[in-house]
Amino acid sequence: MKQIIEANNKCLAFKGTSKQAIDFVDMMRDIGTYTGSDFDNQLNDFLFNIEAELQNQGYLDKDFNLIKKD
């Protein structure tokens, strides 16, 4: 059974499967962000919250490396 990953940070929210969460974080990290703006911090915090939930559910190790796939 696929687990649902949920994360929220201020005005941003994510809810999806672990695969969707991993793909979303990878895509957003690949795109990169502009530095120095408040949105950058919010976006980085949001992505971290998704990664932390993936870690909590056993998909990422303590160093945020992928250890389990659905």
Side-chain angles (χ1 to χ4, degrees):
M1 183 171 123
K2 293 185 179 185
Q3 293 176 304
I4 296 298
I5 304 295
E6 291 187 63
N8 296 293
N9 188 54
K10 296 186 181 182
C11 63
L12 302 170
F14 177 88
K15 182 176 181 179
T17 66
S18 59
K19 180 176 177 1
Q20 290 169 330
I22 292 165
D23 290 346
F24 177 73
V25 170
D26 287 345
M27 180 185 67
M28 294 303 292
R29 296 268 187 227
D30 285 345
I31 290 171
T33 57
Y34 297 101
T35 59
S37 75
D38 186 43
F39 181 73
D40 290 342
N41 291 334
Q42 288 181 32
L43 183 57
N44 285 330
D45 290 348
F46 176 58
L47 294 175
F48 176 80
N49 289 344
I50 295 171
E51 291 172 320
E53 184 59 21
L54 285 163
Q55 192 179 52
N56 289 339
Q57 291 194 27
Y59 291 94
L60 301 178
D61 66 15
K62 66 180 180 75
D63 297 318
F64 296 98
N65 297 307
L66 185 63
I67 57 173
K68 175 173 129 179
K69 292 185 181 181
D70 273 345

